[in-house]
Amino acid sequence: MSHKLELHEGAYIISDAHYSLQRPELLSFIKAIHSKQLKPTQLILMGDIFDALFGLIDYTYKDNREMIELLDAIARDIEVIYFEGNHDFNLAVIFKNIKIFPLKKQPQTLYFYDKKVCMAHGDFDGKFGYKFYTTLIRNPFVLLILKYIDKVLNHLIINKIEAHLDKKDDCKELSWFEGFIKNRFIKRFECDFFIEGHFHQNRSFELSSFTYINLAAFACNQRYFIVKSLQDKELLEEHQFSKEM
């Protein structure tokens, strides 16, 4: 028997927080949910929540331990759905209470009353070279080799990856984005809404068969989204988190 995934009114959706010790803003937000200062009906994590969290490479858990424990604790209270990104993957070995959707199972269709909402991190349809890389880097045997090489090198590999990621500009506007999206989705997917992150653009377009929504990156000004009532014209309401809330 198939079970339909539901998108709940009042759900919080967050994408691309790129959490690390250099980008700690997400921790206050998650603590506010854990303490019930914020009260989502459901929490949907759209990938790249962590800047570097790789299941089976336990060195990447070290600086992320508090966040991991908070998210798993929240998932004992409300439904938490996690679409793996290109910075956080093989997460089923880390989170015991969260519904994990790896790249190969994206996009997923969630139902909001009678509306079909397709959701994904956003990198599910890369070119052959990218698909080969994403398959290779998620392979448990490859990760095991990487883990022990990194350990022998006193974690030089992972530290270099993290240092590189910390320098990336996650907030730049892509001038080519609208044309790219319209070409990308020609005659693809039957739904009412398609929601993804990855590109960090905070833009939406009316395409021929659905409304396309690209989410803002939480890493840029701590923006997140709340699912509104079906009576509202817009599906998502944008919010900005502040520690002073």
Side-chain angles (χ1 to χ4, degrees), residues 7-218:
L7 180 62
H8 298 170
E9 186 175 327
Y12 284 21
I13 301 177
I14 179 171
S15 186
D16 297 276
H18 292 276
Y19 173 75
S20 69
L21 294 182
Q22 284 67 43
R23 296 173 176 170
E25 296 83 6
L26 180 67
L27 186 59
S28 297
F29 177 75
I30 295 301
K31 283 182 174 179
I33 295 176
H34 183 254
S35 67
K36 294 185 169 52
Q37 179 186 356
L38 296 175
K39 297 179 180 180
T41 59
Q42 182 185 39
L43 180 61
I44 300 181
L45 307 170
M46 298 294 291
D48 289 0
I49 302 304
F50 296 84
D51 214 17
L53 182 61
F54 315 135
L56 304 177
I57 300 186
D58 50 9
Y59 183 69
T60 67
Y61 308 174
K62 178 175 61 72
D63 293 337
N64 294 317
R65 181 61 64 186
E66 184 176 13
M67 182 70 72
I68 291 169
E69 292 175 353
L70 284 169
L71 288 173
D72 232 18
I74 290 168
R76 290 194 289 268
D77 187 41
I78 62 171
E79 182 178 53
V80 179
I81 297 174
Y82 201 131
F83 293 92
E84 291 186 348
N86 48 302
H87 289 241
D88 42 8
F89 50 81
N90 289 24
L91 301 181
V93 299
I94 300 174
F95 295 106
K96 305 307 179 187
N97 302 304
I98 294 175
K99 291 181 180 176
I100 305 290
F101 290 103
L103 180 62
K104 64 183 179 181
K105 294 186 177 180
Q106 299 179 34
Q108 282 284 320
T109 299
L110 283 73
Y111 291 85
F112 184 58
Y113 300 102
D114 63 340
K115 303 295 183 184
K116 291 175 66 176
V117 183
C118 287
M119 303 187 78
H121 172 63
D123 63 337
F124 59 89
D125 59 351
K127 294 181 179 180
F128 174 79
Y130 183 78
K131 288 183 177 180
F132 177 77
Y133 160 75
T134 58
T135 300
L136 185 67
I137 198 62
R138 287 163 172 77
N139 182 279
F141 181 68
V142 172
L143 287 172
L144 185 65
I145 293 172
L146 176 60
K147 171 182 175 177
Y148 284 107
I149 292 175
D150 182 64
K151 191 172 182 178
V152 168
L153 295 175
N154 196 29
H155 304 297
L156 177 67
I157 298 172
I158 298 300
N159 288 336
K160 278 190 171 293
I161 290 172
E162 291 178 343
H164 169 72
L165 294 175
D166 284 335
K167 295 176 182 178
K168 286 185 66 178
D169 179 7
D170 293 315
C171 306
K172 60 185 177 183
E173 183 177 344
L174 304 177
S175 59
W176 45 262
F177 186 66
E178 184 170 357
F180 165 74
I181 290 299
K182 289 180 176 179
N183 288 329
R184 178 186 177 210
F185 283 104
I186 292 174
K187 296 181 180 180
R188 295 181 70 188
F189 302 111
E190 293 183 5
C191 57
D192 297 288
F193 297 92
F194 195 106
I195 301 174
E196 64 180 359
H198 188 56
F199 300 103
H200 307 178
Q201 293 303 291
N202 197 25
R203 298 183 65 185
S204 61
F205 314 111
E206 293 297 329
L207 303 183
S208 59
S209 55
F210 56 80
T211 299
Y212 170 81
I213 301 172
N214 185 253
L215 301 170
F218 187 91

